[in-house]
Amino acid sequence: MATTDRYPRQATTLALAHALSAAERGLSVIPLSRTKLPALRSPHRAAPEPAGPPCHGECGRFGHGVYDASTDPARIRALFAAAPWATGYGIACGLSPHHLIGVDLDTKSDTDSTAALRELALRHLFTIPPTIVVLTPSGGRHLWLTGPPDVVVPNSAGRLAPGIDIRGAGGYLVGPGSRTTHGVYATAPGTAHLTPAPCPRSLLRLLLPPPRSSRPGPGSTAGGAHGRGLVQFVLAAHEGQRNTRLFWAACRAYEDGIGPELTEDLVDAAVRTGLTPREARATITSAARMTTHRPEP
């Protein structure tokens, strides 16, 4: 029992040391569990469904996922002290000063994500500059790039190419030195001394959502400010929140009578966070069914 108890403490201590080192380089961090998820659960998980956008830490408590991320050593130590079971740390993307963009080359699918990125580079005339590369336990790679401070790169899964996921604003990367159920994340040899390189402009254009197709009332959103607020609520989702946020926003839209008109805007927003159009439409359909078939009081 003593050995079992001691190992998590050692893993947490090591993860904290790596996290503090990353923070010294200007990277905002949070503690992660062995499953690569934020180690601290939401303090609002037992509360009733909120009437508006959920708390992002305004309550002053921990447990808001990537919104807890910080470069302050005292806050980082407090986060890890609250999660003594943490064995890794996440690095928030899209935040100052680096505005980190993570290119996740996955190995779980049957496709060759490295070859897919190479083909994109040839087709769009860009090269990946020397940058930090993190090796995952499954054999994948995370390429660290930086974006302009005035550009918001959304999270996406497979939109760029099969097997290539993008971690942008609202997302996070598992930091090197983290220990998970599948193994340890490690910096690739020869890249630890590098700083994240600027994302090539041609690649950056591919990471941004395509221009919106013209619809009646170009530049406007159904429902005015309320509709725009629901769309922004969906856009702020990160991994683990995407379906929940979309479902909540769609329910509110249908309850307020703007569901059909706002559907395409909600689908666009959900796709930008990483859902597929099919997943987004299925979630919105479920929300429509629930709100339009409620029994009369």
Side-chain angles (χ1 to χ4, degrees):
M1 180 64 70
T3 302
T4 304
D5 290 343
R6 183 170 62 251
Y7 177 73
R9 288 200 298 271
Q10 293 173 341
T12 301
T13 300
L14 188 59
L16 172 60
H18 283 296
L20 290 171
S21 178
E24 289 179 357
R25 303 175 69 174
L27 299 167
S28 297
V29 298
I30 55 172
L32 299 182
S33 69
R34 284 179 173 274
T35 61
K36 301 186 294 184
L37 293 176
L40 293 170
R41 299 178 64 187
S42 170
H44 312 295
R45 61 186 180 277
E49 187 73 16
C55 177
H56 286 167
E58 294 85 357
C59 67
R61 291 178 288 176
F62 295 150
H64 299 86
V66 73
Y67 300 104
D68 288 341
S70 177
T71 58
D72 177 37
R75 180 176 173 84
I76 295 169
R77 291 181 184 278
L79 283 165
F80 274 83
W85 52 86
T87 60
Y89 65 103
I91 298 174
C93 296
L95 300 182
S96 178
H98 297 290
H99 304 281
L100 195 64
I101 301 168
V103 180
D104 182 356
L105 302 178
D106 203 353
T107 59
K108 295 177 183 177
S109 62
D110 295 331
T111 58
D112 187 338
S113 57
T114 299
L117 181 61
R118 188 182 307 117
E119 181 180 342
L120 284 170
L122 291 172
R123 187 187 312 158
H124 297 278
L125 303 178
F126 67 82
T127 58
I128 300 295
T131 191
I132 296 174
V133 178
V134 175
L135 306 179
T136 74
S138 62
R141 293 184 299 150
H142 292 169
L143 312 181
W144 291 16
L145 301 172
T146 63
D150 57 342
V151 174
V152 178
V153 174
N155 297 292
S156 64
R159 186 178 70 83
L160 189 65
I164 301 179
D165 297 342
I166 301 300
R167 301 287 179 258
Y172 61 87
L173 291 165
V174 179
S178 296
R179 182 175 295 275
T180 71
T181 53
H182 298 292
V184 179
Y185 283 68
T187 309
T191 70
H193 69 285
L194 300 175
T195 56
C199 181
R201 290 190 178 185
S202 295
L203 175 57
L204 184 63
R205 284 194 290 269
L206 295 176
L207 302 184
L208 299 178
R212 294 164 58 92
S213 58
S214 60
R215 301 190 189 110
S220 63
T221 301
H226 179 54
R228 289 193 297 273
L230 293 175
V231 170
Q232 288 301 318
F233 177 68
V234 174
L235 286 171
H238 58 80
E239 189 171 2
Q241 294 183 332
R242 296 175 295 204
N243 265 312
T244 301
R245 280 178 170 252
L246 177 60
F247 184 79
W248 184 91
C251 284
R252 300 295 84 75
Y254 274 91
E255 288 173 350
D256 297 336
I258 60 173
E261 295 81 3
L262 195 62
T263 291
E264 293 305 318
D265 294 295
L266 291 175
V267 169
D268 286 348
V271 169
R272 290 175 62 179
T273 67
L275 292 180
T276 66
R278 181 177 180 180
E279 291 171 331
R281 292 186 188 280
T283 297
I284 293 172
T285 298
S286 296
R289 186 182 302 116
M290 173 173 288
T291 54
T292 57
H293 291 82
R294 286 179 174 174
E296 293 294 330

